[in-house]
Amino acid sequence: MLALALAATLAAAPAPRVAASTVTVLHVPRFDQLQGLTAFMTRAGASSQMLNPASWQGELHPFLILDPTRPDSLDALGIDATGPLSVSIRQDGRLSCTRVKDPKAFQDASANVLARNGDVKAGTVKGVTTLRAPTGLGGYAGYVIKGQEACAFVSADADEALRKEATKLVTKAPAADARMGAVPGVLYVATQQGVMGLDGTANGLKVEGTATKLPLPPFQSQGTSPYGAMAPTGLLFSRAQVAPTGVAQATGSMRSVARTVCPDCDEAQVKGVTDALAKQLTGNMLFAVDSVQVKGSLRKPEVRFFAAKQALAAEVLDAAAVKAALAPLTQLPGAKVLEDGYTLEAKGGRIYVRLKGKHLVVGNDSTVTQAVMTSLPEKGAPLARAVEFTLDPKKLARGLSQVSLMDVMGDETLAAFFGASTELGPLLAKSERITGWLDSAPNGSHRFSVNWTLPEKP
């Protein structure tokens, strides 16, 4: 029954026509069902030009303007707005495949554009019509049409590869993409690393998908989490249930952080502590970032670490065994014993390691660490997903704004944050909330969902 249901789902939406050697695929099962998504993009575009449909609609077709906010405008181009659109982005150019309901109107509209550079070549062989013209930039643009299927192309050079690929696409049935069939959406973006399905309304954007290379451990839903009843606060609030096979990976990340902020710490001692802790962790974890306060150059790893005021809580099996596992911390440089744990001197700040009942709490800020300790509930509550998170978009905008132009020089990661601040910062500052979840998926991949909500009134 499950196989039949999946097959029916895949058959319900038109399959993408994807060219060989494609780097990124954009697929719209029905062009006339984009209104909800474009309503969000139009509103968001008032604060972020990158999201404005007017900024990216030119990427939907090599030479025709397809307006996603006005599906009826496709009638003049002879394109069926109730049909699919598939865009294949390759290193050597781009192809867009559409269904046409008026072949003559499509050919006339295309010819009017392509003829501007002259030297138009057209021909029909075995029911397949091809038209090609130079772009004026050393490449070629054109289309191939058979019946109601048309694939247009633009190449970066004079090679015939894209025209031949377009011919193949209109002469054979497309293959369904099981990844797209597994996630909801009215627009899909797919690469070798995963797929995202997007949908929206005037007040919200929903993104759901799968990814194969997220730098995260495997997760496993356990139903009830000791942190399930806690109310989300701060910039980021995330509750996770890490699978047993991922606990060592999580503690390995802690060890990597220790090497960054405590270069004088003995690696063997640190490894001994984290290995002992890994045996005591249940996999239930809480990660909270209250805010971002940058003090110094973000090009320094320790400044990056201490900029985010954060704390991690983890449920343990045996508090006494954890207390014993932490005892070697007294031998590390600058370590001080607390009533319920330790504080460690680190490069750029202090790290707090504390124990409350069956909860180990590690933080880089005393106030945030204490806040997490105080808010730990006595009883757990169910989690619908293995990982649930909440982002405060306004605090995120303030955090991103602290990445300076000087910080981005020579650092691609910081450059990305700076770009996000410039392009998305104003929109984040006007947003209401961002929530989401993650689960593990087969073959080491992850399933994810993000909901971005704007206020009811602009």
mmCIF file of all heavy atoms in Angstrom, residues 216-228 238-243 283-287 381-389 436-441 446-448:
data_model
loop_
_atom_site.group_PDB
_atom_site.id
_atom_site.type_symbol
_atom_site.label_atom_id
_atom_site.label_comp_id
_atom_site.label_asym_id
_atom_site.label_seq_id
_atom_site.Cartn_x
_atom_site.Cartn_y
_atom_site.Cartn_z
ATOM 1 N N LEU A 216 25.765 17.646 10.779
ATOM 2 C CA LEU A 216 25.001 17.347 11.983
ATOM 3 C C LEU A 216 25.049 15.846 12.275
ATOM 4 O O LEU A 216 25.185 15.036 11.355
ATOM 5 C CB LEU A 216 23.536 17.780 11.808
ATOM 6 C CG LEU A 216 23.276 19.273 11.603
ATOM 7 C CD1 LEU A 216 21.830 19.492 11.199
ATOM 8 C CD2 LEU A 216 23.609 20.057 12.865
ATOM 9 N N PRO A 217 24.896 15.468 13.546
ATOM 10 C CA PRO A 217 24.855 14.045 13.880
ATOM 11 C C PRO A 217 23.508 13.452 13.493
ATOM 12 O O PRO A 217 22.546 14.191 13.219
ATOM 13 C CB PRO A 217 25.032 14.045 15.410
ATOM 14 C CG PRO A 217 24.452 15.347 15.845
ATOM 15 C CD PRO A 217 24.804 16.324 14.744
ATOM 16 N N PRO A 218 23.379 12.138 13.468
ATOM 17 C CA PRO A 218 22.063 11.536 13.227
ATOM 18 C C PRO A 218 21.156 11.757 14.427
ATOM 19 O O PRO A 218 21.605 11.796 15.563
ATOM 20 C CB PRO A 218 22.397 10.048 13.040
ATOM 21 C CG PRO A 218 23.686 9.843 13.768
ATOM 22 C CD PRO A 218 24.444 11.133 13.598
ATOM 23 N N PHE A 219 19.859 11.916 14.158
ATOM 24 C CA PHE A 219 18.883 12.136 15.215
ATOM 25 C C PHE A 219 17.912 10.967 15.293
ATOM 26 O O PHE A 219 17.741 10.217 14.324
ATOM 27 C CB PHE A 219 18.117 13.440 14.976
ATOM 28 C CG PHE A 219 18.993 14.657 14.910
ATOM 29 C CD1 PHE A 219 19.217 15.322 13.712
ATOM 30 C CD2 PHE A 219 19.614 15.134 16.047
ATOM 31 C CE1 PHE A 219 20.023 16.439 13.647
ATOM 32 C CE2 PHE A 219 20.425 16.260 16.003
ATOM 33 C CZ PHE A 219 20.632 16.910 14.800
ATOM 34 N N GLN A 220 17.273 10.852 16.439
ATOM 35 C CA GLN A 220 16.323 9.759 16.638
ATOM 36 C C GLN A 220 15.242 10.218 17.612
ATOM 37 O O GLN A 220 15.522 10.511 18.774
ATOM 38 C CB GLN A 220 17.038 8.526 17.211
ATOM 39 C CG GLN A 220 16.119 7.351 17.525
ATOM 40 C CD GLN A 220 16.895 6.162 18.040
ATOM 41 O OE1 GLN A 220 17.729 5.603 17.326
ATOM 42 N NE2 GLN A 220 16.653 5.772 19.282
ATOM 43 N N SER A 221 14.018 10.312 17.109
ATOM 44 C CA SER A 221 12.925 10.772 17.951
ATOM 45 C C SER A 221 12.653 9.771 19.070
ATOM 46 O O SER A 221 12.502 8.579 18.829
ATOM 47 C CB SER A 221 11.660 10.971 17.111
ATOM 48 O OG SER A 221 10.597 11.421 17.912
ATOM 49 N N GLN A 222 12.626 10.281 20.297
ATOM 50 C CA GLN A 222 12.393 9.431 21.461
ATOM 51 C C GLN A 222 11.067 9.744 22.141
ATOM 52 O O GLN A 222 10.797 9.301 23.255
ATOM 53 C CB GLN A 222 13.542 9.615 22.467
ATOM 54 C CG GLN A 222 14.912 9.274 21.892
ATOM 55 C CD GLN A 222 16.041 9.587 22.856
ATOM 56 O OE1 GLN A 222 15.864 9.544 24.070
ATOM 57 N NE2 GLN A 222 17.210 9.907 22.316
ATOM 58 N N GLY A 223 10.242 10.530 21.480
ATOM 59 C CA GLY A 223 8.936 10.854 22.030
ATOM 60 C C GLY A 223 8.997 11.965 23.055
ATOM 61 O O GLY A 223 8.690 13.120 22.770
ATOM 62 N N THR A 224 9.417 11.637 24.271
ATOM 63 C CA THR A 224 9.474 12.620 25.355
ATOM 64 C C THR A 224 10.884 13.132 25.552
ATOM 65 O O THR A 224 11.843 12.363 25.549
ATOM 66 C CB THR A 224 8.968 11.987 26.668
ATOM 67 O OG1 THR A 224 7.607 11.574 26.495
ATOM 68 C CG2 THR A 224 9.034 12.987 27.813
ATOM 69 N N SER A 225 10.994 14.451 25.725
ATOM 70 C CA SER A 225 12.277 15.082 25.993
ATOM 71 C C SER A 225 12.223 15.767 27.353
ATOM 72 O O SER A 225 11.203 16.379 27.694
ATOM 73 C CB SER A 225 12.594 16.124 24.920
ATOM 74 O OG SER A 225 13.646 16.995 25.332
ATOM 75 N N PRO A 226 13.289 15.684 28.149
ATOM 76 C CA PRO A 226 13.294 16.400 29.431
ATOM 77 C C PRO A 226 13.208 17.907 29.251
ATOM 78 O O PRO A 226 12.915 18.633 30.202
ATOM 79 C CB PRO A 226 14.626 15.989 30.059
ATOM 80 C CG PRO A 226 15.482 15.572 28.917
ATOM 81 C CD PRO A 226 14.549 14.967 27.924
ATOM 82 N N TYR A 227 13.449 18.387 28.022
ATOM 83 C CA TYR A 227 13.413 19.823 27.740
ATOM 84 C C TYR A 227 12.184 20.222 26.935
ATOM 85 O O TYR A 227 12.060 21.368 26.497
ATOM 86 C CB TYR A 227 14.684 20.227 26.993
ATOM 87 C CG TYR A 227 15.925 19.671 27.633
ATOM 88 C CD1 TYR A 227 16.708 18.704 26.991
ATOM 89 C CD2 TYR A 227 16.308 20.067 28.914
ATOM 90 C CE1 TYR A 227 17.842 18.172 27.603
ATOM 91 C CE2 TYR A 227 17.430 19.539 29.532
ATOM 92 C CZ TYR A 227 18.196 18.582 28.868
ATOM 93 O OH TYR A 227 19.307 18.059 29.480
ATOM 94 N N GLY A 228 11.268 19.269 26.731
ATOM 95 C CA GLY A 228 10.112 19.516 25.880
ATOM 96 C C GLY A 228 9.168 20.584 26.384
ATOM 97 O O GLY A 228 8.472 21.225 25.600
ATOM 98 N N SER A 238 16.881 25.480 20.692
ATOM 99 C CA SER A 238 16.735 24.215 19.982
ATOM 100 C C SER A 238 16.781 23.042 20.947
ATOM 101 O O SER A 238 17.662 22.969 21.811
ATOM 102 C CB SER A 238 17.844 24.066 18.933
ATOM 103 O OG SER A 238 17.770 22.811 18.295
ATOM 104 N N ARG A 239 15.840 22.134 20.779
ATOM 105 C CA ARG A 239 15.817 20.889 21.552
ATOM 106 C C ARG A 239 16.055 19.740 20.590
ATOM 107 O O ARG A 239 15.429 19.673 19.525
ATOM 108 C CB ARG A 239 14.477 20.723 22.262
ATOM 109 C CG ARG A 239 14.273 21.731 23.385
ATOM 110 C CD ARG A 239 12.825 21.833 23.796
ATOM 111 N NE ARG A 239 12.042 22.518 22.774
ATOM 112 C CZ ARG A 239 10.877 23.118 23.012
ATOM 113 N NH1 ARG A 239 10.383 23.127 24.231
ATOM 114 N NH2 ARG A 239 10.210 23.712 22.043
ATOM 115 N N ALA A 240 16.965 18.847 20.953
ATOM 116 C CA ALA A 240 17.354 17.776 20.042
ATOM 117 C C ALA A 240 17.402 16.437 20.758
ATOM 118 O O ALA A 240 17.659 16.359 21.960
ATOM 119 C CB ALA A 240 18.726 18.081 19.431
ATOM 120 N N GLN A 241 17.143 15.382 19.986
ATOM 121 C CA GLN A 241 17.279 14.009 20.452
ATOM 122 C C GLN A 241 18.256 13.322 19.507
ATOM 123 O O GLN A 241 17.911 12.921 18.406
ATOM 124 C CB GLN A 241 15.914 13.320 20.464
ATOM 125 C CG GLN A 241 14.948 13.973 21.450
ATOM 126 C CD GLN A 241 13.550 13.385 21.410
ATOM 127 O OE1 GLN A 241 13.027 13.063 20.348
ATOM 128 N NE2 GLN A 241 12.922 13.235 22.565
ATOM 129 N N VAL A 242 19.507 13.247 19.947
ATOM 130 C CA VAL A 242 20.588 12.689 19.131
ATOM 131 C C VAL A 242 20.570 11.175 19.233
ATOM 132 O O VAL A 242 20.423 10.611 20.329
ATOM 133 C CB VAL A 242 21.951 13.252 19.592
ATOM 134 C CG1 VAL A 242 23.082 12.669 18.768
ATOM 135 C CG2 VAL A 242 21.952 14.774 19.498
ATOM 136 N N ALA A 243 20.723 10.513 18.093
ATOM 137 C CA ALA A 243 20.764 9.050 18.085
ATOM 138 C C ALA A 243 22.018 8.558 18.795
ATOM 139 O O ALA A 243 23.031 9.265 18.837
ATOM 140 C CB ALA A 243 20.733 8.542 16.647
ATOM 141 N N GLY A 283 21.366 11.444 24.823
ATOM 142 C CA GLY A 283 21.050 11.978 23.497
ATOM 143 C C GLY A 283 20.082 13.136 23.539
ATOM 144 O O GLY A 283 19.936 13.868 22.559
ATOM 145 N N ASN A 284 19.406 13.333 24.684
ATOM 146 C CA ASN A 284 18.514 14.482 24.836
ATOM 147 C C ASN A 284 19.344 15.731 25.127
ATOM 148 O O ASN A 284 20.100 15.761 26.108
ATOM 149 C CB ASN A 284 17.521 14.248 25.972
ATOM 150 C CG ASN A 284 16.423 13.286 25.571
ATOM 151 O OD1 ASN A 284 15.751 13.500 24.566
ATOM 152 N ND2 ASN A 284 16.241 12.227 26.346
ATOM 153 N N MET A 285 19.196 16.756 24.283
ATOM 154 C CA MET A 285 20.008 17.958 24.429
ATOM 155 C C MET A 285 19.181 19.215 24.195
ATOM 156 O O MET A 285 18.144 19.188 23.527
ATOM 157 C CB MET A 285 21.180 17.940 23.450
ATOM 158 C CG MET A 285 22.166 16.800 23.674
ATOM 159 S SD MET A 285 23.575 16.866 22.534
ATOM 160 C CE MET A 285 24.482 15.400 23.037
ATOM 161 N N LEU A 286 19.676 20.304 24.755
ATOM 162 C CA LEU A 286 19.096 21.626 24.574
ATOM 163 C C LEU A 286 20.229 22.587 24.239
ATOM 164 O O LEU A 286 21.259 22.583 24.911
ATOM 165 C CB LEU A 286 18.392 22.089 25.850
ATOM 166 C CG LEU A 286 18.109 23.590 25.986
ATOM 167 C CD1 LEU A 286 17.001 23.992 25.030
ATOM 168 C CD2 LEU A 286 17.736 23.949 27.412
ATOM 169 N N PHE A 287 20.039 23.394 23.195
ATOM 170 C CA PHE A 287 21.044 24.381 22.825
ATOM 171 C C PHE A 287 20.369 25.737 22.754
ATOM 172 O O PHE A 287 19.349 25.902 22.069
ATOM 173 C CB PHE A 287 21.677 24.042 21.482
ATOM 174 C CG PHE A 287 22.754 25.002 21.058
ATOM 175 C CD1 PHE A 287 23.894 25.174 21.817
ATOM 176 C CD2 PHE A 287 22.609 25.747 19.898
ATOM 177 C CE1 PHE A 287 24.892 26.066 21.436
ATOM 178 C CE2 PHE A 287 23.593 26.635 19.495
ATOM 179 C CZ PHE A 287 24.733 26.794 20.271
ATOM 180 N N ALA A 381 8.359 16.549 28.385
ATOM 181 C CA ALA A 381 7.163 16.688 27.554
ATOM 182 C C ALA A 381 7.482 16.162 26.156
ATOM 183 O O ALA A 381 8.654 16.100 25.763
ATOM 184 C CB ALA A 381 6.710 18.145 27.501
ATOM 185 N N PRO A 382 6.475 15.792 25.395
ATOM 186 C CA PRO A 382 6.710 15.227 24.062
ATOM 187 C C PRO A 382 7.308 16.244 23.092
ATOM 188 O O PRO A 382 7.030 17.436 23.174
ATOM 189 C CB PRO A 382 5.315 14.789 23.606
ATOM 190 C CG PRO A 382 4.495 14.717 24.844
ATOM 191 C CD PRO A 382 5.049 15.759 25.765
ATOM 192 N N LEU A 383 8.136 15.742 22.174
ATOM 193 C CA LEU A 383 8.607 16.513 21.030
ATOM 194 C C LEU A 383 8.064 15.846 19.773
ATOM 195 O O LEU A 383 8.183 14.631 19.610
ATOM 196 C CB LEU A 383 10.135 16.539 20.965
ATOM 197 C CG LEU A 383 10.892 17.490 21.891
ATOM 198 C CD1 LEU A 383 12.377 17.441 21.565
ATOM 199 C CD2 LEU A 383 10.384 18.919 21.775
ATOM 200 N N ALA A 384 7.462 16.635 18.901
ATOM 201 C CA ALA A 384 6.889 16.072 17.687
ATOM 202 C C ALA A 384 7.973 15.578 16.734
ATOM 203 O O ALA A 384 7.766 14.619 15.984
ATOM 204 C CB ALA A 384 6.011 17.109 16.989
ATOM 205 N N ARG A 385 9.143 16.204 16.788
ATOM 206 C CA ARG A 385 10.256 15.854 15.897
ATOM 207 C C ARG A 385 11.521 15.644 16.716
ATOM 208 O O ARG A 385 11.607 16.053 17.867
ATOM 209 C CB ARG A 385 10.486 16.965 14.872
ATOM 210 C CG ARG A 385 9.302 17.208 13.955
ATOM 211 C CD ARG A 385 9.164 16.129 12.909
ATOM 212 N NE ARG A 385 8.073 16.380 11.986
ATOM 213 C CZ ARG A 385 7.858 15.683 10.861
ATOM 214 N NH1 ARG A 385 8.680 14.714 10.525
ATOM 215 N NH2 ARG A 385 6.832 15.975 10.073
ATOM 216 N N ALA A 386 12.514 15.031 16.091
ATOM 217 C CA ALA A 386 13.765 14.774 16.809
ATOM 218 C C ALA A 386 14.472 16.066 17.178
ATOM 219 O O ALA A 386 15.150 16.149 18.199
ATOM 220 C CB ALA A 386 14.685 13.895 15.958
ATOM 221 N N VAL A 387 14.321 17.087 16.345
ATOM 222 C CA VAL A 387 14.895 18.399 16.628
ATOM 223 C C VAL A 387 13.836 19.453 16.332
ATOM 224 O O VAL A 387 13.205 19.431 15.267
ATOM 225 C CB VAL A 387 16.142 18.688 15.764
ATOM 226 C CG1 VAL A 387 16.689 20.078 16.079
ATOM 227 C CG2 VAL A 387 17.206 17.635 15.977
ATOM 228 N N GLU A 388 13.625 20.362 17.279
ATOM 229 C CA GLU A 388 12.749 21.501 17.060
ATOM 230 C C GLU A 388 13.512 22.765 17.422
ATOM 231 O O GLU A 388 14.247 22.775 18.417
ATOM 232 C CB GLU A 388 11.483 21.396 17.920
ATOM 233 C CG GLU A 388 10.587 20.224 17.549
ATOM 234 C CD GLU A 388 9.336 20.141 18.402
ATOM 235 O OE1 GLU A 388 9.181 20.995 19.306
ATOM 236 O OE2 GLU A 388 8.519 19.238 18.180
ATOM 237 N N PHE A 389 13.384 23.803 16.619
ATOM 238 C CA PHE A 389 14.117 25.039 16.914
ATOM 239 C C PHE A 389 13.275 26.265 16.632
ATOM 240 O O PHE A 389 12.335 26.243 15.833
ATOM 241 C CB PHE A 389 15.433 25.102 16.120
ATOM 242 C CG PHE A 389 15.256 25.181 14.627
ATOM 243 C CD1 PHE A 389 15.103 26.404 13.987
ATOM 244 C CD2 PHE A 389 15.266 24.027 13.852
ATOM 245 C CE1 PHE A 389 14.947 26.481 12.609
ATOM 246 C CE2 PHE A 389 15.111 24.089 12.478
ATOM 247 C CZ PHE A 389 14.958 25.323 11.857
ATOM 248 N N GLY A 436 11.273 25.728 13.065
ATOM 249 C CA GLY A 436 11.557 24.611 12.184
ATOM 250 C C GLY A 436 11.837 23.332 12.934
ATOM 251 O O GLY A 436 11.804 23.276 14.164
ATOM 252 N N TRP A 437 12.125 22.285 12.171
ATOM 253 C CA TRP A 437 12.457 20.992 12.758
ATOM 254 C C TRP A 437 13.397 20.227 11.841
ATOM 255 O O TRP A 437 13.544 20.543 10.657
ATOM 256 C CB TRP A 437 11.191 20.165 13.033
ATOM 257 C CG TRP A 437 10.272 19.951 11.865
ATOM 258 C CD1 TRP A 437 9.117 20.626 11.600
ATOM 259 C CD2 TRP A 437 10.415 19.000 10.789
ATOM 260 N NE1 TRP A 437 8.538 20.163 10.442
ATOM 261 C CE2 TRP A 437 9.293 19.160 9.932
ATOM 262 C CE3 TRP A 437 11.363 18.020 10.473
ATOM 263 C CZ2 TRP A 437 9.109 18.376 8.786
ATOM 264 C CZ3 TRP A 437 11.189 17.241 9.320
ATOM 265 C CH2 TRP A 437 10.076 17.430 8.493
ATOM 266 N N LEU A 438 14.037 19.211 12.408
ATOM 267 C CA LEU A 438 14.904 18.312 11.652
ATOM 268 C C LEU A 438 14.654 16.880 12.103
ATOM 269 O O LEU A 438 14.302 16.626 13.260
ATOM 270 C CB LEU A 438 16.386 18.630 11.858
ATOM 271 C CG LEU A 438 16.922 19.937 11.322
ATOM 272 C CD1 LEU A 438 17.241 20.867 12.479
ATOM 273 C CD2 LEU A 438 18.180 19.697 10.501
ATOM 274 N N ASP A 439 14.847 15.960 11.203
ATOM 275 C CA ASP A 439 14.821 14.527 11.483
ATOM 276 C C ASP A 439 15.926 13.876 10.655
ATOM 277 O O ASP A 439 16.372 14.435 9.648
ATOM 278 C CB ASP A 439 13.486 13.903 11.089
ATOM 279 C CG ASP A 439 12.457 13.960 12.206
ATOM 280 O OD1 ASP A 439 12.872 13.969 13.379
ATOM 281 O OD2 ASP A 439 11.245 13.992 11.901
ATOM 282 N N SER A 440 16.337 12.707 11.060
ATOM 283 C CA SER A 440 17.260 11.949 10.228
ATOM 284 C C SER A 440 16.482 11.257 9.123
ATOM 285 O O SER A 440 15.312 10.908 9.277
ATOM 286 C CB SER A 440 18.018 10.920 11.066
ATOM 287 O OG SER A 440 19.020 11.537 11.828
ATOM 288 N N ALA A 441 17.140 11.067 8.009
ATOM 289 C CA ALA A 441 16.557 10.371 6.864
ATOM 290 C C ALA A 441 17.537 9.268 6.444
ATOM 291 O O ALA A 441 18.671 9.209 6.934
ATOM 292 C CB ALA A 441 16.309 11.357 5.726
ATOM 293 N N HIS A 446 19.406 14.211 6.127
ATOM 294 C CA HIS A 446 18.513 14.826 7.097
ATOM 295 C C HIS A 446 17.298 15.412 6.393
ATOM 296 O O HIS A 446 17.397 15.922 5.277
ATOM 297 C CB HIS A 446 19.218 15.941 7.874
ATOM 298 C CG HIS A 446 20.268 15.453 8.827
ATOM 299 N ND1 HIS A 446 21.559 15.174 8.425
ATOM 300 C CD2 HIS A 446 20.222 15.184 10.163
ATOM 301 C CE1 HIS A 446 22.266 14.765 9.466
ATOM 302 N NE2 HIS A 446 21.490 14.764 10.525
ATOM 303 N N ARG A 447 16.172 15.327 7.048
ATOM 304 C CA ARG A 447 14.937 15.977 6.590
ATOM 305 C C ARG A 447 14.764 17.249 7.416
ATOM 306 O O ARG A 447 15.000 17.236 8.633
ATOM 307 C CB ARG A 447 13.762 15.028 6.799
ATOM 308 C CG ARG A 447 12.395 15.580 6.399
ATOM 309 C CD ARG A 447 12.143 15.444 4.918
ATOM 310 N NE ARG A 447 10.780 15.888 4.584
ATOM 311 C CZ ARG A 447 9.769 15.050 4.372
ATOM 312 N NH1 ARG A 447 9.963 13.753 4.487
ATOM 313 N NH2 ARG A 447 8.583 15.511 4.039
ATOM 314 N N PHE A 448 14.353 18.342 6.798
ATOM 315 C CA PHE A 448 14.234 19.604 7.533
ATOM 316 C C PHE A 448 13.010 20.387 7.077
ATOM 317 O O PHE A 448 12.474 20.168 5.982
ATOM 318 C CB PHE A 448 15.485 20.464 7.356
ATOM 319 C CG PHE A 448 15.735 20.889 5.928
ATOM 320 C CD1 PHE A 448 15.170 22.049 5.417
ATOM 321 C CD2 PHE A 448 16.530 20.115 5.091
ATOM 322 C CE1 PHE A 448 15.387 22.434 4.106
ATOM 323 C CE2 PHE A 448 16.758 20.491 3.771
ATOM 324 C CZ PHE A 448 16.184 21.651 3.274
#
